[in-house]
Amino acid sequence: MLGSVSLGTLGLMVGSLLTVVGAVAYATGNATLNLAGFFYGVPLLLGGLALKAAELKPVPYREPPTAEAIAGRAQATPIQTQIRKDVSRYRYGQEAHLDSTLASLGLSPSDAERPVLVAIAETLTDGAYTLVLEFDSPAVPLEVWQSKQAKMQTFFGPNIRVTITDQGKDRVAVALIRE
């Protein structure tokens, strides 16, 4: 639940409200409310600004998961569950979703050339839970992704089969299929 709420936005709203209350209290001569408004409002406002600057938004679903796909989550591996939860919530202090994973797999030659996770999907493939990660990858061609397929299967753990498909327009879909 907390991951679906932007802490930066929350800090900005609460901090702004308390700061305004403190300013109004100062103008009306209410010393106690003035002190509380400024002592709590300004730090919350600054904290909200800092979090907003370091915020990484959740990756959207390409299409909402079906009831069957949601029921299929019961058979998901811990890695599939962790990836789905990590990319579908607000993150702070990261450059991009799955940045360290892409670097470990050799798919991120530099920050400028790093593929960007643009969408996820949950489906069933022959009755098996499948998490699909869709990347915008203009600098890393499909052939490089395909050459890393065996490494991906071992990287994402046992009981995972990886398929890589071309989505067109420099997009690559990586399907993590539960075996």
Side-chain angles (χ1 to χ4, degrees):
M1 164 66 187
L2 191 59
S4 63
V5 175
S6 169
L7 295 178
T9 302
L10 185 64
L12 283 172
M13 289 181 355
V14 172
S16 296
L17 178 68
L18 288 174
T19 302
V20 167
V21 166
V24 169
Y26 178 76
T28 60
N30 188 340
T32 304
L33 201 52
N34 167 24
L35 188 63
F38 283 128
F39 262 59
Y40 296 112
V42 172
L44 276 173
L45 181 63
L46 294 175
L49 285 170
L51 285 174
K52 203 68 174 159
E55 183 175 87
L56 183 59
K57 290 180 173 31
V59 175
Y61 278 91
R62 182 177 48 204
E63 58 208 34
T66 63
E68 294 83 21
I70 291 172
R73 288 178 184 171
Q75 56 176 289
T77 67
I79 296 294
Q80 286 174 313
T81 301
Q82 179 184 355
I83 291 170
R84 178 181 52 81
K85 287 181 177 180
D86 280 351
V87 301
S88 62
R89 68 183 176 99
Y90 284 93
R91 305 286 299 207
Y92 299 93
Q94 285 186 315
E95 295 289 324
H97 288 287
L98 302 176
D99 55 353
S100 59
T101 301
L102 292 170
S104 296
L105 291 170
L107 293 167
S108 180
S110 69
D111 287 347
E113 297 173 329
R114 177 190 308 119
V116 176
L117 183 62
V118 292
I120 62 172
E122 294 178 274
T123 62
L124 296 177
T125 304
D126 299 326
Y129 177 78
T130 304
L131 179 64
V132 181
L133 308 171
E134 190 174 316
F135 291 91
D136 183 28
S137 182
V140 180
L142 179 64
E143 296 77 28
V144 174
W145 284 91
Q146 290 172 335
S147 71
K148 305 288 184 181
Q149 185 171 357
K151 188 174 183 178
M152 283 185 212
Q153 286 191 182
T154 57
F155 183 86
F156 290 116
N159 304 321
I160 292 287
R161 180 169 45 100
V162 175
T163 61
I164 299 167
T165 55
D166 185 9
Q167 299 294 101
K169 297 183 182 178
D170 295 328
R171 293 227 172 159
V172 175
V174 177
L176 306 176
I177 305 166
R178 167 69 188 221
E179 288 192 320

